[in-house]
């Protein structure tokens, strides 16, 4: 009797254990089914998410999505830094020319005394450009327009002033010709120049790149001379201001004012194109990775850039440079756990 | 009933149990690993659903890095096969790898063989599967490389009988592997790099000498991983990026400054 009870108890225990295992498996399957239901719900949410759908549409093994605000920030910062302290050293040899006939009153009445000619050659201008905060805005064709005021300051240079007095034949009886040439120091009048251009975004080999597109353009630069140089010019003219050289007809103040006005009108200078360089964004797709202490070399092939109101999308197909058979087999053979 | 009669049914049951027990053990090991993976997936999916309900499925303020599971799988696979000795006792040879970015969980699965490090593999080995979760993704502070950290969540060790002959060495191996701390298997794949680098500076090369001279400049960039999610076969990494603001350059002295007439285009 006892043995039957013992055998029955043992059998019941084995059955219970089996049942427990079976109910555990059922519970697991139940959880899995519930999980699949939740996954289907989540798939619907994902399908309606604009960021996810745009990223998936871009395609590629690595996708970088950059918000337009960040692109603008970087371009703005680059433009500001780049043009913040630009040293210009322009070998100009620019000419400023002016000529005027001079009429003087004599006992014979007003006569054309002659013509004075002014030639100023600006040999060289050295200056420092500083940028004010730029404005950046999105534009068609993957571009960002940049507009920033640039101030040319601390400019100075060297110039040669050539002043010539050519007296008329009648006047030349008493008015002698003269010719003054002076090598002088000049300075650039500080002005604010609006600079506008664009950066076009490209999918570079490893990263997003912004290429500058600033059309060649000239800016009017006004110059002045140093006080010392003006004094030298004045002295030179005053030296001619005697009767034998028709000095009575030459008012140094008027003449200097005319010269100054002409210099202030300035001359055109073209900003060198080398001022702007391409800018690489700080996020890059790498050509190798480390898995623990093992290095894997990668081949990166960039996809076309896509710009939407949501983001700038940069995608790249990435492949390992070595493809061992085991690697190929691994992904195919390994079953997924769900 | 005699003593012999009593022991006969018990002996039969004992034999039956002995036959069934290994099978039960195998099923339990596999099931517990699958359960661990399913638990992580359920937990991850709940997290995704909650984020979606908050309207923050993907926090994307500055930069989003999206890595495909196929790429990470391929990268790991390129390092196969490899061997590691765990706790100075077990030799693990990993020959297959799989990666799934689904349900808010980055699953890294490594399959291979285990054997005692101090014995020849031919003496007996077991099949092992290590399940890990790509848990932490961060930027390396020095290189700016996006790096993932794998935390082992489950191990499934199965005995391999040669010609149907059970080996006590294998039995022992499987038994011991089941008792090894899961963290010990991290040596197999604890660090996985995503091939994306966030540089800490934007470098502007110097210009000149010549008509224009600009000193080289670097713009500091601050970057930090803000959020990581795994779904739709991708790892979605949100990165906060910001540049250091420039102080506006001072203008020229007002007495000598005047608006410039625009010369061009001419």
């Amino acid at each position: 009797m006892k043995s039957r009870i013992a055998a029955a108890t043992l059998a019941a225990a084995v059955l219970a254990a089996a049942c427990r295992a079976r109910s555990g498996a059922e519970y697991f399957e139940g959880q899995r089914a519930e999980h699949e239901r939740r996954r289907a719900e989540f798939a619907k949410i994902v399908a309606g998410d604009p960021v996810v759908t745009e990223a998936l549409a871009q395609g590629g093994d690595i996708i970088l999505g950059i918000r337009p605000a960040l692109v603008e920030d970087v371009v703005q910062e680059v433009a500001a830094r780049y043009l913040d302290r630009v040293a210009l050293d322009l070998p100009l040899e620019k000419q400023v020319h002016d000529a005027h006939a001079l009429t003087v009153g004599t006992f014979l009445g007003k006569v054309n005394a002659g013509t004075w000619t002014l030639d100023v050659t600006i040999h060289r201008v050295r200056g420092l450009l500083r940028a004010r905060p730029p404005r950046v805005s999105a534009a068609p064709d993957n571009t960002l327009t940049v507009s920033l005021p640039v101030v040319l300051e601390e400019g100075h240079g060297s110039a040669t002033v050539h002043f010539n007095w050519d007296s008329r034949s009648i006047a030349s009886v008493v008015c002698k010709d003269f010719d003054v040439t002076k090598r002088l120091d000049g300075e650039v009048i500080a002005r604010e120049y609006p600079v506008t251009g664009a950066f076009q975004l490209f999918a570079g080999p490893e990263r997003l790149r912004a290429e500058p597109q600033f059309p060649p353009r000239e800016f009017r630069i006004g110059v002045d001379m140093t006080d010392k140089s003006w004094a030298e010019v004045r002295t030179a003219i005053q030296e001619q201001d005697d009767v034998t050289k028709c000095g009575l007809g030459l008012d140094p103040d008027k003449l200097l004012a005319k010269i100054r006005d002409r210099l202030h009108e300035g001359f055109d200078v073209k900003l060198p194109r080398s001022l702007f360089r391409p800018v690489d964004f700080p996020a890059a797709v790498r050509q190798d990775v480390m898995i623990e202490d093992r290095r894997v070399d990668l081949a990166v092939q960039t996809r076309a850039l896509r710009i939407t109101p949501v983001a700038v999308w940069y995608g790249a197909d990435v492949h390992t440079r070595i493809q061992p058979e085991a690697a190929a087999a691994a992904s195919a053979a390994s079953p997924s756990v769900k | 009933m005699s003593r012999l009669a009593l022991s006969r049914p018990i002996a039969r049951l004992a034999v039956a149990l002995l036959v069934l027990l290994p099978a039960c053990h195998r099923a339990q090991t596999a099931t517990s690993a699958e359960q661990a993976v399913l638990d992580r997936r359920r937990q991850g999916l709940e997290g995704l659903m909650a984020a979606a309900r908050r309207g923050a499925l993907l926090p994307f303020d500055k930069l989003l890095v999206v890595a495909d599971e196929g790429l990470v799988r391929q990268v790991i696979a390129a390092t196969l096969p490899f061997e590691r000795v765990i706790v100075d006792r077990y030799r693990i040879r990993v020959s297959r790898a799989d990666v799934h970015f689904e349900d808010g969980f980055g699953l890294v699965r490594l399959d291979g063989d285990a054997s005692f490090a101090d014995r020849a593999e031919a003496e007996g080995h077991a099949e092992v599967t290590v399940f890990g979760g790509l848990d932490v993704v961060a930027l390396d502070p020095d290189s700016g490389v996006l790096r993932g950290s794998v935390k082992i969540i489950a191990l499934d060790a199965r005995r391999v009988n040669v010609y149907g002959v059970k080996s006590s060495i294998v039995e022992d191996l499987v038994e011991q592997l089941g008792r090894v701390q899961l963290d010990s298997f991290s040596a197999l794949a604890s660090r996985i790099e995503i091939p994306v680098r966030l540089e800490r500076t934007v470098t502007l090369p110097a210009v000149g000498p010549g008509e224009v001279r600009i000193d080289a400049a670097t713009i500091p960039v601050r970057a930090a991983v803000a959020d990581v999610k795994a779904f739709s076969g991708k790892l979605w990494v949100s990165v906060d990026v910001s540049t250091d603001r420039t102080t506006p350059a001072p203008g020229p002295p007002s007495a000598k400054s005047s608006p410039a007439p625009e010369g061009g285009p001419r």
Side-chain angles (χ1 to χ4, degrees), chain A residues 3 31 35 38-39 63 65 67 77 82 87 89 187 207 217-218 282 284 286 292 294 320 337, chain B residues 1 6 35 41-42 60 64 66 74 84 103 190-191 197 199 205 211 213 244 246 256 262:
Chain A
S3 67
Q31 279 186 328
H35 181 64
R38 299 285 280 165
R39 291 189 79 205
I63 303 161
R67 284 287 197 198
E77 196 65 18
Y82 232 129
D89 185 359
E187 58 188 18
R207 66 189 80 203
R217 177 183 166 169
E218 290 182 331
R286 300 178 63 215
E292 288 299 320
R294 304 177 295 278
T320 50
V337 175
Chain B
M1 185 175 279
L6 176 68
Q35 183 69 57
R41 285 193 154 159
R42 290 175 65 212
F60 178 26
L64 185 66
V66 188
Q74 195 188 138
R84 287 289 178 277
D103 307 335
S190 65
R191 288 194 320 164
R197 184 179 61 241
E199 281 156 14
E211 293 183 0
R213 204 178 63 252
D244 274 355
T246 307
K256 293 212 88 175
E262 289 196 22

Side-chain angles (χ1 to χ4, degrees), chain B residues 86-101:
Chain B
I86 304 296
V87 292
D88 294 331
R89 186 159 170 77
Y90 311 105
R91 181 173 47 239
I92 310 287
R93 186 172 192 273
V94 178
S95 52
R96 292 197 306 270
D98 203 1
V99 175
H100 288 278
F101 294 147

Side-chain angles (χ1 to χ4, degrees), chain A residues 174-223:
Chain A
V174 289
C175 302
K176 304 295 181 193
D177 294 349
F178 68 86
D179 195 288
V180 176
T181 301
K182 287 280 177 188
R183 178 91 176 190
L184 302 165
D185 293 325
E187 58 188 18
V188 174
I189 299 170
R191 280 178 180 164
E192 196 172 278
Y193 301 93
V195 174
T196 53
F199 280 91
Q200 184 157 29
L201 302 176
F202 288 98
E206 289 181 17
R207 66 189 80 203
L208 181 66
R209 170 170 277 204
E211 290 274 359
Q213 293 187 331
F214 286 76
R217 177 183 166 169
E218 290 182 331
F219 296 89
R220 177 59 63 90
I221 290 183
V223 292

